[in-house]
Amino acid sequence: MDTAVFLTDEARTALALSLKVSLWATAISLPLAVLAALITGRGRFPGRALVDGLLHLPLILPPVVTGFLLLIAFGRRAPVGAFLAEHFGLVFSFRWTGAALAAGIMGFPLMVRAIRLSLEAVDGRLEEAAATLGARPLWVFATVTLPLMVPGIITGAILSFARAMGEFGATITFVGNIPGETQTLPAAIYTFTQVPGGDGPAMRLVAVSVAVSMTALIGSELIARRARRRLGLSAGRAD
């Protein structure tokens, strides 16, 4: 079926914006999530439980609360928002960049959790063997730990992407529902449900949203499975 017939111009714009927001949110969050997983998974310091709780707070808080906190922190007149706008030209409130920030924060705990579980599954004896052979800690991480974490990193990234695609509460509170600028897929679905005759377009967007999310989840499982298989073969050759 022709996309132009299946989706209205407004719906296609919302879909394109959601993909853009989700990709940026995932890409920017990924290195931070790896670092957070290392700190909470391997770090031994006072207050580690508190840090871990703060990282997972977006999973517990109502999304509207997260959006409001972002608004008072990154709004144009807020201290952080005003500083970033003045010195770096970064504006988040009521911009697509703010939608990416909100989506990234909401998906961040899922990404950290998947990466941390993968890190905890790494056999410490392999790292010890590399260190015994004279490898520096950073080299051990880059050549042993990080490759073994790949399945978890892939899973976490795609789960975060899928979560970002479905983000609504924090986004609409922080950046609003501006067509072409901040109206993502969930916001467009909500808008269609509020107008007469909008049930049809809303259902089509729901179908697209389900298809994208399922593709992401199935894709993550297939990619992670392939990565685990390759790592298993590599370990077998090393033995």
Side-chain angles (χ1 to χ4, degrees):
M1 182 182 291
D2 189 358
T3 307
V5 176
F6 186 69
L7 297 177
T8 64
D9 290 340
E10 184 180 2
R12 290 200 304 275
T13 301
L15 174 59
L17 181 62
S18 283
L19 291 171
K20 176 182 177 181
V21 164
S22 300
L23 287 170
W24 274 100
T26 304
I28 293 175
S29 299
L30 188 56
L32 298 175
V34 173
L35 179 61
L38 287 170
I39 291 173
T40 57
R42 293 286 180 86
R44 297 291 181 269
F45 56 90
R48 187 182 66 158
L50 177 61
V51 173
D52 191 50
L54 290 173
L55 290 174
H56 289 83
L57 200 57
L59 286 179
I60 303 170
L61 286 176
V64 174
V65 174
T66 302
F68 179 72
L69 293 175
L70 287 172
L71 189 60
I72 63 176
F74 291 94
R76 296 197 179 203
R77 296 183 181 179
V80 178
F83 175 82
L84 292 175
E86 181 179 352
H87 292 86
F88 300 99
L90 288 174
V91 178
F92 290 102
S93 59
F94 304 103
R95 296 282 183 87
W96 76 267
T97 49
L101 176 62
I105 288 175
M106 295 303 295
F108 192 72
L110 294 174
M111 189 185 294
V112 172
R113 190 167 185 82
I115 295 173
R116 181 173 169 178
L117 289 173
S118 183
L119 174 64
E120 291 172 350
V122 173
D123 189 348
R125 292 173 298 179
L126 297 175
E127 297 172 311
E128 292 173 3
T132 302
L133 294 173
R136 295 181 179 275
L138 187 60
W139 186 250
V140 172
F141 172 75
T143 59
V144 178
T145 311
L146 188 59
L148 293 173
M149 291 168 59
V150 165
I153 292 174
I154 294 171
T155 301
I158 299 184
L159 283 176
S160 179
F161 173 83
R163 178 65 182 85
M165 283 290 294
E167 168 50 35
F168 176 72
T171 301
I172 201 168
T173 304
F174 182 36
V175 298
N177 186 13
I178 306 170
E181 180 64 36
T182 65
Q183 188 180 77
T184 55
L185 202 60
I189 293 171
Y190 173 78
T191 300
F192 280 127
T193 62
Q194 302 304 303
V195 299
D199 290 347
M203 282 300 299
R204 288 192 285 272
L205 281 182
V206 167
V208 171
S209 181
V210 170
V212 171
S213 298
M214 287 301 298
T215 300
L217 291 173
I218 294 172
S220 71
E221 179 61 27
L222 293 176
I223 295 172
R225 189 179 301 172
R226 180 176 297 180
R228 284 192 294 267
R229 192 180 300 121
R230 287 184 177 178
L231 290 174
L233 289 175
S234 298
R237 291 186 189 130
D239 292 340

